Amino acid sequence: MEITLGKIFRGDRVIWIILLLLSLLSLLIVYSSTGALAYRQASGNTVYYLVRQLFFLGAGFGLMLLMVNVIPVKIYSMVANYLVYFSIGLLSLTVAFRFAGIGEGSGRTLGLGPISFQPAEIAKISLIIYTAKILGKKQKTKGDLFKAFKRIILYTIVICGLIFLSDFSTSALLFATIMAMMFIGRIPLKYLALVIATGAALIVLIYYGADLIPDSVSRAHTIKGRIERFIHGDPNSEKGITQADYAKLAIYEGGIFGKGPGHSDVSNYMAAAYSDFIFAIIVEEYGLILGAGVMFLYLIFLFRGVVIVRRSTRTFPAFLVTGLTLLLVFQAMINIGVSSGALPVTGQPLPWVSLGGTSLLFTSIAFGCILSVSHQNQVNREVQKQPVQVNVPDEDVEMEK
């Protein structure tokens, strides 16, 4: 049985175990934290969101197995350019729909018939794949590095700019990941410092010029409001009714050992208990011990990502794993930081744990790419271990005799 499972679940086994543990936690905490949501939107059927989460987790595992067992890693490099163009097209279409008043109010979701998804999820993976491809090819000279920087930063500005119009936190997360990839890819610090300084100046400009920008153009007012609430505090905190206040209360009530599975009270009052603040509900029910355990799982995943990178024999797979691992770990740390009050409130779910639909499938694609590279590394090591057979012609044998 173990041999059969080993042939199916290829790649880094530690990552597979982490995904299994996070899946079990996801099912438990989603079922517990969606009670109020079920009464609002599912006619009181509290099992609905549990079954929904189970379906998407299962579909995610199926997608990862397909990627690891069927799709070669080099395919991602071959389609990188097309994925970036496709992402820009989807993001542009989403922005156009928003200005036209079509679709979801925040402008993040694109609905195509019965299917709705966030194009930013596709754009994140596409831009990381493209960046990995360019960094992998342009490493020989300083001129190559400068060419790589220009090509990467061009598409980064376009994609992050389009995402920025409706989702600042995702735009900033993706931008930080690309900057980290370029730093690891030996892009000169003077270029990166110039970009960071420009980005900081843009944030300052948005903060002081938010009142001059209409809400229909960007979320500048939302960004300014979140910055002010983080620095000066939220006026609504005096009443104790903000999402951040509920999250802190959940962590406080959870204490070290928690209140027990299904005993969360705070989740009944939080609008995003099952997504953006799900870590707080985990601590409320299972305590700081399990909360620390969740953080430890993501740190182990980060360590395994480093191991996979070091074992890679080619540059593209190494940069691909670097970018996707950093993206997932950054997102997890942001969710944990927001839930604990260490960071301003954003809209980042906890990867593979928060309630999700198509977003879970896109997350599984990121994990699938990492596992595919890990499997490729294992195959390469097995090939290197095989003894080299040298066929000696018969006439040479006769001469030796």
Side-chain angles (χ1 to χ4, degrees):
M1 186 66 177
E2 293 182 359
I3 297 177
T4 303
L5 289 177
K7 291 181 179 180
I8 297 175
F9 290 88
R10 296 175 174 178
D12 193 285
R13 294 185 178 180
V14 176
I15 293 181
W16 281 114
I17 293 174
I18 291 173
L19 287 172
L20 178 61
L21 293 175
L22 291 178
S23 299
L24 295 175
L25 175 63
S26 175
L27 293 174
L28 289 172
I29 206 68
V30 164
Y31 178 69
S32 174
S33 61
T34 53
L37 179 66
Y39 278 97
R40 291 197 305 267
Q41 299 186 8
S43 302
N45 184 4
T46 56
V47 182
Y48 172 79
Y49 289 103
L50 173 64
V51 175
R52 182 179 183 273
Q53 186 76 349
L54 180 62
F55 170 79
F56 280 104
L57 286 173
F61 272 109
L63 186 56
M64 285 187 287
L65 290 174
L66 175 65
M67 295 174 65
V68 173
N69 290 280
V70 177
I71 305 176
V73 175
K74 63 181 180 181
I75 294 294
Y76 306 124
S77 177
M78 295 170 60
V79 301
N81 293 57
Y82 302 106
L83 288 175
V84 167
Y85 302 149
F86 181 64
S87 300
I88 293 175
L90 288 178
L91 290 171
S92 302
L93 186 62
T94 305
V95 172
F97 279 8
R98 181 189 177 191
F99 287 153
I102 302 173
E104 195 239 347
S106 65
R108 299 183 183 184
T109 303
L110 179 63
L112 299 176
I115 301 175
S116 62
F117 60 95
Q118 294 186 7
E121 297 295 329
I122 301 177
K124 288 191 298 185
I125 298 175
S126 301
L127 184 58
I128 288 175
I129 294 175
Y130 177 80
T131 302
K133 176 182 178 179
I134 300 302
L135 288 175
K137 287 185 175 182
K138 306 291 185 180
Q139 287 287 314
K140 294 182 180 181
T141 65
K142 291 183 178 180
D144 285 341
L145 292 174
F146 181 64
K147 291 179 181 178
F149 169 76
K150 290 194 299 182
R151 294 179 64 179
I152 292 170
I153 204 64
L154 173 63
Y155 287 104
T156 299
I157 291 173
V158 173
I159 290 178
C160 289
L162 290 171
I163 297 175
F164 175 84
L165 294 176
S166 59
D167 191 348
F168 169 74
S169 62
T170 299
S171 176
L173 171 64
L174 180 58
F175 179 80
T177 302
I178 299 301
M179 293 297 293
M181 289 181 67
M182 288 196 289
F183 175 77
I184 296 171
R186 303 190 305 120
I187 298 296
L189 287 176
K190 59 182 179 180
Y191 302 144
L192 302 181
L194 178 62
V195 174
I196 293 174
T198 303
L202 179 62
I203 297 299
V204 173
L205 182 63
I206 291 174
Y207 179 80
Y208 287 102
D211 296 334
L212 303 176
I213 304 175
D215 289 334
S216 60
V217 176
S218 72
R219 293 170 60 84
H221 290 85
T222 302
I223 297 170
K224 179 179 179 179
R226 287 179 175 178
I227 295 175
E228 288 183 341
R229 286 193 295 269
F230 182 73
I231 297 176
H232 305 293
D234 192 337
N236 290 325
S237 293
E238 299 177 0
K239 303 177 182 179
I241 59 174
T242 68
Q243 297 288 305
D245 292 329
Y246 285 135
K248 295 175 185 177
L249 178 62
I251 293 176
Y252 173 79
E253 290 190 349
I256 303 234
F257 301 104
K259 299 167 65 176
H263 288 80
S264 170
D265 296 319
V266 179
S267 61
N268 296 322
Y269 306 98
M270 295 179 67
Y274 45 83
S275 56
D276 301 348
F277 294 93
I278 198 168
F279 181 78
I281 307 304
I282 292 174
V283 175
E284 182 186 11
E285 293 194 357
Y286 298 95
L288 289 171
I289 294 179
L290 186 61
V294 172
M295 290 189 289
F296 189 60
L297 287 178
Y298 285 109
L299 292 178
I300 294 176
F301 167 66
L302 175 62
F303 172 75
R304 295 309 302 176
V306 173
V307 171
I308 295 172
V309 170
R310 296 189 63 179
R311 291 177 178 175
S312 298
T313 57
R314 302 185 66 85
T315 51
F316 168 71
F319 284 121
L320 177 62
V321 173
T322 298
L324 293 176
T325 301
L326 289 176
L327 177 71
L328 293 170
V329 173
F330 284 169
Q331 183 175 327
M333 294 302 107
I334 289 174
N335 181 278
I336 293 172
V338 170
S339 296
S340 58
L343 294 174
V345 176
T346 62
Q348 295 301 319
L350 191 61
W352 208 251
V353 177
S354 295
L355 177 68
T358 52
S359 62
L360 266 178
L361 298 182
F362 292 122
T363 302
S364 67
I365 292 175
F367 279 113
C369 289
I370 296 171
L371 290 167
S372 296
V373 174
S374 174
H375 173 58
Q376 178 179 277
N377 293 344
Q378 294 172 355
V379 172
N380 293 339
R381 288 200 306 272
E382 291 175 359
V383 171
Q384 293 174 356
K385 290 180 181 179
Q386 293 180 358
V388 179
Q389 298 181 354
V390 179
N391 296 324
V392 182
D394 295 340
E395 56 269 21
D396 293 343
V397 176
E398 294 293 334
M399 289 178 63
E400 290 179 0
K401 291 182 178 180

